[in-house]
């Protein structure tokens, strides 16, 4: 395999590099970078027209550099165009909002205490009157009547900017929503007026009605409640109603990927047509017509399931594979895969930050690179063993590529992923094979009843198997974490190992050992930093109190009247990623209105019981957790109440002993 055989891989790499580096260039004017891009193309065109054999070597060096520089700048330019910070009418640039006009974009989703929905603003009311504006708001209402897409609302009040995390290393919901270009939320309760309903476009309105109809048919013919939830998730991509217990079972077993409609599901549909038709045996327009019909059906299914990043990737990739098959019977998959990523990122460059997008492409790359190598380790003699071995090798290859990403984001590794794949992948194939015909013939009661019964049985068997895996000993390894440099080094190591097996060249072997050296060196560096830490964190909680003190690599902690959910989401992430999860107890002495700490470093610290703040903070190096980082806190501005974010007190450079 030669890298120059895959031009779109190179194009995508440079374009994505521009998108990823865009945030580090500071505020950018899209028009300015468009001029830079245009000038590069002018130079490129002039040099192409003035080509002379006398300058062949410089020409062959300069032209690729110009082309790749243009792709890099194109990535920056597209990111700048889509960045709402460069849109003066966006909500983030508006002030003194007292109301707004918005259109509902999604179906209602039941939350714990309210109903969630997404609206898109078209105008806002300020002290100077009404004016045009745009932006999306995640609203929460308690209306007795459902809000449907297309409904126009007049909302009173101002939306609130989604708050960043209050405590270090916790899930950054604000950044997650920003990846979807959503920066505001608003509890509107019933403080809104329905002005009317816009007629949805024929395409979007028809897809929405079809999805609702199919959900009703699933609920009608599938009897088991858990089976209904899995059917909606697996067949229609609707996971909003999925119980936390069921989601936890699939995540623990390492089978959550079958519930996220992705390349597996689209691939099953794509391959379903190839069981009955052989496009490589067709000639001319017949092959083109057949493949076009398959692509149209795939995109209809992708639209029904909600056009998630994984579905978009799969549908786009299979579209380009089909286009390639019109000209070639066995096209390479790397070019269509890279081209699908390039097209999606031109449409929405910030998809590159979506975890689903990253996992989807990483898993497929792992399968394409590692599965053939793993499969060569054994050649089963029987067909059924060969089938099982293929499933195992696909699961191992996908897990090899995605486990650094999964540990980085989710801090968990499913121990029995091979067993779960042996159950989940054939199970997903059976359910899709039963479910797609069921959806197609759901309007015919006799057929729907029989197919619905078979689908119900298959779903219950799959659920029983997944839940049984959850209860096996050591079903998952949790509370682990890879920092970004570790994740990149692990991927580099795996890639160099792949190249070593493919090429068996000495320079590649050297790169393998260099990567291992850097990875081990990074771990040693992390340990060194941890040993030299000497600080106290006071967490910001709704109720109760929690402290973590780190000294010479040891954790000393205290938690008082902390709710389990707050501990799991506000305290545990910091311990997993920075301090460690096990340690000794930190003892506080109650002195009436004060709490006194005797720290293992030999110092004492007195806290006010009401504010949880040090009584003499002017002698301490203090920081507040703001915007994802520890920010220096000026003791002269010491508040009288508990700050809205966590506090860090460092004793390495304290101005005085206490």
């Amino acid at each position: 395999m030669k890298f120059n055989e895959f031009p779109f891989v190179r194009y995508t790499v440079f374009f994505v590099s521009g998108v990823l580096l865009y945030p580090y260039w500071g505020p950018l004017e899209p028009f300015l970078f468009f001029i830079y891009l245009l000038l590069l193309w002018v130079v490129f065109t002039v040099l192409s027209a003035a080509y002379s054999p006398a300058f062949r070597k410089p020409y062959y060096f300069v032209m690729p550099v110009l082309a790749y520089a243009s792709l890099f700048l194109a990535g920056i330019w597209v990111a700048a165009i889509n960045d709402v910070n460069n849109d003066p009418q966006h909500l983030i640039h508006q002030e003194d909002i007292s109301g707004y006009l918005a259109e509902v974009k999604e179906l209602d989703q039941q939350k714990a205490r309210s109903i969630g929905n997404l609206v898109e603003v078209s105008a806002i009311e300020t002290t100077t009157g009404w004016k045009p504006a745009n932006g999306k708001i995640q609203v929460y209402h308690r209306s007795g009547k459902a809000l449907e897409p297309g409904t126009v609302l007049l909302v009173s009040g101002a939306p609130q900017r989604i708050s960043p995390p209050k405590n270090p290393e916790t899930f950054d919901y604000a950044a997650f929503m920003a990846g979807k270009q959503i920066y505001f939320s608003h509890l509107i309760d019933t403080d809104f007026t329905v002005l009317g309903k816009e007629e949805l476009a024929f395409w979007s309105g028809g897809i929405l009605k079809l999805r609702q109809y199919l959900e009703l048919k699933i609920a009608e013919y599938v009897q088991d409640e858990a089976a209904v939830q899995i059917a909606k998730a697996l067949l229609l991509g609707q996971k909003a109603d999925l119980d936390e217990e069921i989601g936890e079972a699939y995540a623990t077993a390492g089978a959550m990927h079958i519930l996220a409609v992705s390349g597996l599901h689209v691939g099953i549909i794509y391959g379903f047509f190839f069981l009955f038709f052989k496009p490589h045996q067709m000639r001319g327009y017949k092959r083109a017509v057949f493949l076009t019909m398959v692509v149209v059906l795939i995109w209809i299914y992708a639209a029904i399931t909600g056009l998630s990043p994984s579905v978009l990737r799969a549908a786009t990739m299979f579209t380009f594979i089909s286009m390639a098959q019109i000209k070639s019977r066995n096209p390479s998959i790397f070019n269509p895969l890279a081209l699908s990523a390039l097209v999606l990122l031109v449409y929405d460059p910030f998809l590159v930050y979506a975890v689903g997008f990253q996992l989807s492409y990483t898993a497929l790359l792992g399968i394409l690179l590692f599965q053939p190598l793993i499969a060569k380790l054994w050649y089963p003699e029987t067909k059924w063993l060969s089938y099982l071995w293929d499933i195992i090798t696909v699961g191992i290859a996908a897990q090899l590529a995605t486990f650094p990403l999964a540990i980085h984001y989710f801090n968990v590794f499913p121990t029995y992923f091979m067993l779960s794949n042996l159950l989940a992948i054939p199970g997903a194939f059976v359910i899709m094979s039963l479910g797609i015909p069921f959806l197609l013939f759901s309007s015919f009661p006799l057929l729907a009843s029989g197919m619905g019964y078979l689908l119900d049985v298959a779903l219950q068997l799959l659920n029983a198997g997944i839940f049984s895996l959850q209860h096996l000993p050591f079903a998952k390894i949790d509370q682990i974490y890879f920092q970004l440099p570790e994740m990149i080094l692990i991927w580099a190591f795996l890639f160099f190992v792949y190249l070593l097996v493919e090429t068996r060249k000495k320079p590649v072997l050297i790169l393998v050992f260099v990567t291992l050296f850097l990875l081990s060196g990074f771990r040693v560096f992390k340990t060194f930093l941890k040993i030299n830490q000497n600080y106290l964190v006071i967490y910001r909680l709704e109720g109760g109190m929690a402290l973590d003190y780190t000294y010479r690599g040891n954790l000393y902690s205290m938690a008082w009247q902390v709710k389990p959910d707050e501990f799991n989401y506000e305290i545990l992430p910091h311990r997993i990623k920075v301090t460690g999860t096990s340690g000794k107890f930190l003892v506080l002495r109650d002195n009436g209105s004060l709490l006194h700490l005797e720290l293992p470093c030999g110092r004492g610290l007195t806290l006010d019981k009401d504010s949880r703040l040090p009584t003499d903070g002017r002698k301490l190096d203090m920081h507040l957790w703001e915007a994802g980082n520890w920010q220096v806190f000026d003791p002269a501005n010491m508040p009288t109440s508990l700050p809205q974010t966590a506090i860090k007190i460092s004793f390495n450079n304290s101005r005085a002993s206490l």
Side-chain angles (χ1 to χ4, degrees):
M1 183 179 70
K2 296 180 179 179
F3 189 61
N4 59 8
E5 295 176 358
F6 310 107
F8 284 106
V9 175
R10 302 197 302 274
Y11 304 158
T12 304
V13 166
F14 281 95
F15 183 86
V16 170
S17 299
V19 174
L20 292 175
L21 289 175
Y22 165 74
Y24 302 98
W25 286 66
L28 298 172
E29 287 291 337
F31 181 74
L32 183 63
F33 268 81
F34 175 74
I35 296 298
Y36 293 158
L37 186 61
L38 188 61
L39 288 174
L40 271 180
W41 276 106
V42 169
V43 174
F44 186 91
T45 304
V46 170
L47 289 177
S48 299
Y51 169 71
S52 172
F55 298 98
R56 179 174 297 176
K57 287 186 178 180
Y59 178 86
Y60 285 146
F61 172 77
V62 171
M63 297 304 284
V65 170
L66 287 174
Y68 295 140
S70 298
L71 286 165
F72 177 77
L73 282 179
I76 295 177
W77 177 53
V78 172
I81 290 174
N82 286 270
D83 187 358
V84 297
N85 289 289
N86 298 320
D87 180 3
Q89 288 192 344
H90 195 272
L91 287 172
I92 62 173
H93 301 299
Q94 311 303 322
E95 296 179 353
D96 301 323
I97 300 175
S98 57
Y100 54 90
L101 195 66
E103 180 182 340
V104 178
K105 305 304 292 184
E106 295 180 350
L107 293 170
D108 280 343
Q109 292 186 3
Q110 186 64 50
K111 304 295 181 182
R113 299 177 183 176
S114 60
I115 301 170
N117 211 315
L118 183 68
V119 301
E120 187 164 3
V121 173
S122 58
I124 58 173
E125 184 180 17
T126 66
T127 53
T128 59
W130 285 89
K131 64 179 181 178
N134 58 65
K136 298 175 182 178
I137 303 174
Q138 181 69 40
V139 299
Y140 301 93
H141 69 90
R142 296 190 179 98
S143 172
K145 188 176 181 181
L147 298 181
E148 298 182 351
T151 303
V152 179
L153 306 177
L154 177 61
V155 183
S156 300
Q160 293 79 43
R161 190 74 179 257
I162 298 176
S163 301
K166 298 178 295 184
N167 293 300
E169 309 302 337
T170 57
F171 173 64
D172 194 340
Y173 181 68
F176 171 75
M177 295 298 282
K180 300 180 180 182
Q181 301 291 287
I182 303 170
Y183 296 87
F184 294 86
S185 65
H186 193 187
L187 177 59
I188 61 177
D189 200 10
T190 56
D191 296 332
F192 63 90
T193 304
V194 176
L195 299 181
K197 186 176 180 182
E198 293 283 346
E199 284 297 326
L200 297 176
F202 173 78
W203 165 256
S204 57
I207 288 294
L208 178 62
K209 290 178 181 178
L210 178 59
R211 185 194 303 159
Q212 291 176 302
Y213 173 80
L214 294 176
E215 286 183 5
L216 290 174
K217 289 299 179 182
I218 289 174
E220 180 180 353
Y221 289 105
V222 177
Q223 302 301 315
D224 184 74
E225 180 59 33
V228 170
Q229 294 181 38
I230 298 300
K232 288 182 179 180
L234 203 152
L235 296 174
L236 300 177
Q238 305 305 303
K239 297 191 294 181
D241 299 329
L242 198 64
D243 287 346
E244 185 176 346
E245 182 181 347
I246 297 175
E248 177 65 23
Y250 274 78
T252 300
M256 199 66 181
H257 59 282
I258 72 166
L259 300 184
V261 177
S262 61
L264 172 66
H265 307 72
V266 178
I268 290 173
I269 295 174
Y270 188 80
F272 185 79
F273 292 96
F274 285 66
L275 291 176
F276 305 101
F277 304 95
K278 307 297 181 185
H280 62 275
Q281 296 177 359
M282 301 177 183
R283 296 184 179 275
Y285 75 93
K286 291 183 179 180
R287 188 195 301 182
V289 170
F290 171 77
L291 291 172
T292 301
M293 291 176 59
V294 172
V295 167
V296 170
L297 289 172
I298 283 175
W299 278 103
I300 291 175
Y301 177 72
I304 291 173
T305 58
L307 293 174
S308 66
S310 57
V311 175
L312 281 172
R313 186 269 303 164
T316 307
M317 185 191 68
F318 281 114
T319 298
F320 288 122
I321 289 176
S322 297
M323 292 170 61
Q325 283 182 322
I326 293 176
K327 294 292 184 181
S328 172
R329 296 182 180 182
N330 295 298
S332 167
I333 196 172
F334 287 100
N335 274 323
L337 179 65
L339 184 56
S340 68
L342 185 60
V343 170
L344 291 175
L345 292 175
V346 168
Y347 172 72
D348 182 2
F350 300 114
L351 268 178
V352 74
Y353 297 106
V355 179
F357 184 89
Q358 295 171 12
L359 285 171
S360 180
Y361 276 94
T362 304
L364 192 52
L365 280 173
I367 292 170
L368 293 175
L369 293 175
F370 300 125
Q371 193 274 339
L373 300 182
I374 301 170
K376 292 177 183 178
L377 297 175
W378 182 43
Y379 294 97
E381 296 180 358
T382 60
K383 184 174 288 187
W384 69 271
L385 275 177
S386 179
Y387 175 70
L388 291 178
W389 178 237
D390 284 343
I391 294 175
I392 291 173
T393 56
V394 166
I396 293 174
Q399 203 71 44
L400 266 177
T402 58
F403 87 88
L405 203 61
I407 291 175
H408 177 72
Y409 283 119
F410 309 117
N411 316 127
V412 66
F413 181 82
T415 311
Y416 301 111
F417 70 90
M418 285 192 289
L419 286 177
S420 68
N421 280 326
L422 284 174
L423 176 64
I425 294 177
F429 180 80
V430 170
I431 291 169
M432 292 289 290
S433 299
L434 293 170
I436 297 301
F438 165 76
L439 296 178
L440 290 173
F441 297 106
S442 57
S443 298
F444 303 93
L446 188 60
L447 287 173
S449 179
M451 291 180 178
Y453 173 77
L454 293 175
L455 181 61
D456 192 7
V457 171
L459 286 164
Q460 290 190 54
L461 289 174
L462 176 62
N463 284 341
I466 294 297
F467 274 90
S468 65
L469 289 176
Q470 183 191 25
H471 298 297
L472 290 175
F474 308 107
K476 64 179 179 180
I477 303 172
D478 55 6
Q479 299 184 4
I480 51 179
Y481 178 65
F482 288 154
Q483 291 186 1
L484 182 61
E486 290 175 290
M487 184 173 68
I488 294 172
L489 286 170
I490 290 171
W491 274 333
F493 170 75
L494 291 172
F495 180 68
F496 291 142
V497 168
Y498 164 79
L499 288 181
L500 180 63
V501 174
E502 284 285 298
T503 63
R504 300 184 183 276
K505 293 182 178 180
K506 185 177 179 180
V508 181
L509 178 62
I510 294 173
L511 287 174
V512 170
F513 282 108
V514 168
T515 309
L516 277 176
F517 174 78
L518 291 174
L519 185 59
S520 59
F522 185 80
R523 299 294 295 185
V524 170
F525 176 70
K526 281 179 59 179
T527 304
F528 174 78
L529 288 180
K530 188 175 290 188
I531 290 174
N532 286 276
Q533 288 176 341
N534 184 10
Y535 67 88
L536 176 78
V537 172
I538 305 173
Y539 292 98
R540 174 68 170 91
L541 305 174
E542 296 299 326
M545 181 178 183
L547 308 175
D548 276 354
Y549 176 65
T550 304
Y551 179 62
R552 293 184 176 177
N554 295 315
L555 172 68
Y556 301 84
S557 61
M558 188 284 299
W560 176 66
Q561 294 185 347
V562 177
K563 298 177 182 178
D565 283 348
E566 279 203 293
F567 177 82
N568 291 331
Y569 295 112
E570 301 293 338
I571 300 173
L572 191 57
H574 180 247
R575 292 183 180 176
I576 291 172
K577 298 176 182 180
V578 179
T579 62
T581 55
S582 60
K584 303 174 183 178
F585 288 108
L586 191 64
V587 180
L588 275 79
R589 189 170 65 251
D590 192 339
N591 294 333
S593 62
L594 302 175
L595 297 170
H596 188 73
L597 281 167
E598 288 295 340
L599 301 175
C601 65
R603 301 182 183 220
L605 184 67
T606 302
L607 304 176
D608 181 81
K609 186 181 290 186
D610 294 328
S611 68
R612 318 283 167 80
L613 292 169
T615 55
D616 196 358
R618 291 174 176 80
K619 296 182 179 180
L620 298 171
D621 285 332
M622 299 179 63
H623 297 76
L624 291 180
W625 183 257
E626 295 178 350
N629 289 290
W630 290 111
Q631 306 290 340
V632 176
F633 177 53
D634 185 1
N637 298 323
M638 179 71 73
T640 57
S641 60
L642 183 65
Q644 296 304 303
T645 60
I647 302 171
K648 177 181 177 181
I649 302 173
S650 176
F651 297 98
N652 287 325
N653 301 306
S654 295
R655 287 181 281 273
S657 299
L658 297 179

